[in-house]
Amino acid sequence: MPQTPSLFSLSASEAIFRSVEWDKYKEIVEIGSGAYGRVFSAVNRQTNELVAIKTIKLANDEEGIPISVIREITHLRSLKHDNIVGLREVFINDDGCTLCMVMEYVPHDLSGIVNGLNNVLDEAFVKSVMQQLLSALACIHDSGSLHCDLKTSNVFIHANGQVKLGDFNLSRKVHPEEFGVVQHFSRNIITLWYRPPELLVDQFGSSRYGPEVDMWSMGCIFAELLLRSPLFPGNTEVEQLFKIIQLLGTANQRNWPDASKHQTYRDHFSNKVIPNTLRLKFKDFADYSPQIVDLLEKLLKLDPRERISAREALKHPWFNQAPLPKDTSVILPSYLTPFNENWVKQQIKLRQEEAEKQNPKKRKEYPKASTSSSCYNHHELENSYSSCKKKIKQY
Amino acid sequence: TPSRKDQLSENDETNLQLYACQLIQDAGILLELPQTTISHAQIIFHRFYMKKSMKEFCVRHVAMASLFISCKIQETHRSIFHFLQVFIDIIYPELYYISPDIVELLKSHLIRTERYILIELGFTFYNIELPHQYILFVMHILEGHEDLTQTAWNYCNDALRCSVLSLSAKPQVIACGAVYMSAKEHSRVLPENPAWWLLFNTTRDELEFVEKHIKEMYKRPKAVYLNVLND
């Protein structure tokens, strides 16, 4: 057996992975955990800035540093914008098994605000959130990237109303077409509820997609802010498509000529005519500006080519009308009681337990009904990610 | 560079750089990776050795890890076992039987080196710009022929193996230099008055600088692996 050139013994190399970084922080408190690792909040000793430290377990027997982490860090590094979560530093722990990302701490997220805050979200607040989000998205799209996982639990918000877009685990660069790169696009991006129809009908994931997919998700977030509940809460891909078509009507030559090319679409909707009921659904918002529905319609176009871009959406007249974004009267609570995804999960769990106490038999009969209501979980995302990974492996 | 400070001769250093870039190129072709992924890997490799010495980090491992990272960044993912298989085939062509021990050892090196590179370069890979896109642009403007483009493209691939060019020259300059050499080789006359390279803000001196470096590289003997590691 030939000698493999060896440079460092396995144990000696560990010393390089610094962990002195942890000394820079004080008041380290665990605030959450997930499949990837644990999240801590801490205070920087020098700047007194409150930061969130996300730790990611690196399993040695897998494919090195996960591709999702590399994606997230490279995107956060390259994008500098007021409305994108700031990455302070990245280091690897002494044991060499944990990657730590130090990010700015943003207490609330939109899913918490939508579900938890009792006062009305006034038009100015919605406008302010949308404006900040669109300007962040315009910056991302200008740099040739896609976010690919826009949803309310990925939009973080400070107590002063400043919005920060986060979670770039699935985002990717789009190369210009002529650059000779064959890109394999995965269809399994974007959490189901926010997934645009062109990805739902396309069985083989062969088509290219672009910034339009993010704009559809923006439309869903916009509607969710107004309705205070998700717009299309589907459990399966087909159900998701049904929910979309029920609201926006069946596709025809005018509003989505490509629809009939797709087998899935033909199977379910070829002989049906369903009218567009979007304006009917949002008639309750009559005291808001009528422009609101106009923008929503432009974001939720069935045909991806007709969907408005982030830059165009920022120029929409709604943003220049009174009430202006700064006039909001919504006051967010201080960071001690964060309204975020974890909080929503806890609430759902509490509600389930209460329901169980009241009628324990019912749960036994329909064990699935209760789990399907807890839709704010990461399973969807993780499933989509792992199947995406499988696809890549197969390829 | 850190390697030179570590008493490595210039000749050996260049030799190892060329060896590693050849290794990346060969493995990339066997793994059916696009040229962009391979070129990215070569640039990552050069950048890493601007910070660390070749006596400290084995060039084979760094070459391997650079390509591995580049695959992830360019979304052209390959499984780690496929990856190791290809590298073992190239590094130990005389082996009939690959024992699981070698695979395991190389894998642990790969994963470790990947971390070193990512931390050392601070995950800054978004600012890598390749000259290849400019070649197509130059050729489109000059209405060059396909063979001219292909030769220029090949020169471009080779230019990135040279650390001076891949680190310090602007991608436009490398692209123009490659086109300049390609036109000479095919004895094609490109517009001189006004000079075509002015379009890309380059000068004749810069083009000749690129040409000089690429020609120098061709004069060198075939690069071979040397074990220069400290214990």
Side-chain angles (χ1 to χ4, degrees), chain B residues 18-231:
Chain B
L18 294 179
Y19 167 79
C21 287
Q22 184 64 46
L23 181 63
I24 292 174
Q25 185 78 36
D26 291 348
I29 290 167
L30 288 179
L31 286 161
E32 297 177 349
L33 291 168
Q35 186 63 43
T36 46
T37 309
I38 298 172
S39 300
H40 258 87
Q42 289 169 344
I43 294 178
I44 293 172
F45 173 85
H46 287 306
R47 286 191 182 184
F48 181 71
Y49 278 119
M50 286 299 116
K51 297 216 163 181
K52 290 287 171 191
S53 157
M54 285 185 176
K55 289 199 170 180
E56 201 182 336
F57 289 89
C58 172
V59 284
R60 281 175 169 168
H61 299 160
V62 175
M64 190 160 68
S66 305
L67 193 59
F68 196 55
I69 293 170
S70 172
C71 279
K72 288 183 180 173
I73 294 167
Q74 294 292 308
E75 306 278 343
T76 47
H77 204 62
R78 297 290 182 271
S79 93
I80 194 165
F81 286 105
H82 188 185
F83 214 86
L84 293 170
Q85 204 76 46
V86 166
F87 270 93
I88 290 173
D89 278 352
I90 299 175
I91 297 178
Y92 309 114
E94 74 281 4
L95 270 192
Y96 289 112
Y97 166 70
I98 298 166
S99 78
D101 294 350
I102 300 184
V103 179
E104 274 307 309
L105 189 66
L106 210 59
K107 190 171 120 187
S108 71
H109 281 313
L110 173 57
I111 288 173
R112 267 174 213 296
T113 318
E114 182 194 22
R115 284 183 204 166
Y116 285 123
I117 296 178
L118 287 174
I119 290 294
E120 203 54 58
L121 300 184
F123 290 85
T124 45
F125 304 113
Y126 51 88
N127 51 6
I128 295 179
E129 206 182 1
L130 296 180
H132 298 74
Q133 50 190 331
Y134 292 102
I135 295 253
L136 300 179
F137 186 51
V138 173
M139 282 320 196
H140 181 72
I141 287 179
L142 298 176
E143 292 166 358
H145 257 285
E146 218 170 83
D147 52 343
L148 202 62
T149 317
Q150 186 61 52
T151 317
W153 185 276
N154 295 348
Y155 278 129
C156 213
N157 290 344
D158 291 345
L160 292 178
R161 297 184 189 196
C162 170
S163 67
V164 179
L165 291 180
S166 83
L167 291 170
S168 63
K170 280 191 215 142
Q172 296 96 305
V173 176
I174 298 179
C176 288
V179 171
Y180 179 75
M181 289 174 72
S182 168
K184 260 193 189 170
E185 191 180 314
H186 289 270
S187 47
R188 210 67 63 76
V189 181
L190 296 174
E192 295 260 332
N193 197 16
W196 60 272
W197 53 79
L198 290 177
L199 264 177
F200 302 92
N201 280 331
T202 53
T203 60
R204 188 189 274 275
D205 289 349
E206 282 176 318
L207 301 189
E208 275 163 1
F209 175 77
V210 174
E211 188 186 11
K212 191 190 98 197
H213 274 279
I214 294 180
K215 289 241 163 102
E216 253 174 35
M217 198 160 62
Y218 289 157
K219 276 184 209 146
R220 294 183 62 87
K222 192 177 183 310
V224 287
Y225 179 69
L226 301 169
N227 194 346
V228 292
L229 297 169
N230 293 335
D231 291 330

Side-chain angles (χ1 to χ4, degrees), chain A residues 58 63 115 120 144 200-201 210 214 229 279 316 335 338 343 375:
Chain A
L58 303 174
E63 309 248 325
N115 288 281
V120 186
L200 291 166
V201 294
D214 280 344
S229 70
R279 278 182 186 271
H316 194 272
Y335 67 85
W343 183 85
C375 298

Side-chain angles (χ1 to χ4, degrees), chain A residues 7-227:
Chain A
L7 151 65
F8 33 73
S9 74
L10 297 187
S11 56
S13 64
E14 307 286 19
I16 292 194
F17 300 125
R18 301 151 286 183
S19 74
V20 284
E21 275 86 353
W22 281 106
D23 297 340
K24 276 192 223 162
Y25 302 98
K26 57 180 181 184
E27 296 170 31
I28 300 168
V29 184
E30 185 169 346
I31 51 174
S33 64
Y36 46 84
R38 306 200 285 178
V39 185
F40 301 90
S41 77
V43 178
N44 188 322
R45 282 181 199 277
Q46 278 180 344
T47 59
N48 272 331
E49 192 199 12
L50 194 60
V51 293
I53 304 179
K54 196 167 154 183
T55 64
I56 297 148
K57 281 244 175 300
L58 303 174
N60 257 341
D61 52 336
E62 278 180 27
E63 309 248 325
I65 292 182
I67 190 164
S68 60
V69 176
I70 294 190
R71 270 188 210 133
E72 175 152 29
I73 297 174
T74 41
H75 280 95
L76 285 177
R77 274 276 160 110
S78 64
L79 298 165
K80 289 272 176 283
H81 190 275
D82 283 347
N83 299 117
I84 293 172
V85 172
L87 181 67
R88 297 290 178 256
E89 65 172 337
V90 182
F91 59 89
I92 291 181
N93 241 352
D94 246 1
D95 56 2
C97 300
T98 327
L99 183 92
C100 305
M101 291 168 64
V102 183
M103 291 187 285
E104 105 191 80
Y105 180 74
V106 194
H108 311 290
D109 70 27
L110 269 192
S111 74
I113 301 289
V114 166
N115 288 281
L117 216 55
N118 285 326
N119 36 349
V120 186
L121 298 180
D122 62 6
E123 192 180 342
F125 178 79
V126 176
K127 199 179 278 185
S128 142
V129 169
M130 284 302 286
Q131 196 172 34
Q132 296 180 58
L133 263 183
L134 282 170
S135 82
L137 205 54
C139 165
I140 296 171
H141 289 171
D142 285 352
S143 77
S145 313
L146 303 179
H147 185 281
C148 287
D149 196 20
L150 282 171
K151 55 178 172 176
T152 48
S153 55
N154 284 345
V155 178
F156 302 97
I157 186 161
H158 273 297
N160 63 8
Q162 196 186 16
V163 170
K164 298 272 179 180
L165 186 56
D167 208 336
F168 286 74
N169 278 332
L170 294 176
S171 67
R172 56 199 59 212
K173 280 244 181 285
V174 185
H175 292 281
E177 256 172 78
E178 70 275 10
F179 199 20
V181 185
V182 185
Q183 271 184 303
H184 293 269
F185 282 88
S186 162
R187 195 171 57 108
N188 281 314
I189 53 157
I190 311 181
T191 309
L192 189 60
W193 292 0
Y194 303 90
R195 204 177 290 170
E198 68 266 22
L199 295 179
L200 291 166
V201 294
D202 181 11
Q203 275 180 315
F204 305 107
S206 52
S207 64
R208 293 183 63 96
Y209 48 81
E212 319 82 61
V213 295
D214 280 344
M215 297 317 291
W216 176 274
S217 315
M218 276 303 292
C220 295
I221 292 174
F222 188 22
E224 193 168 336
L225 280 173
L226 297 170
L227 295 170

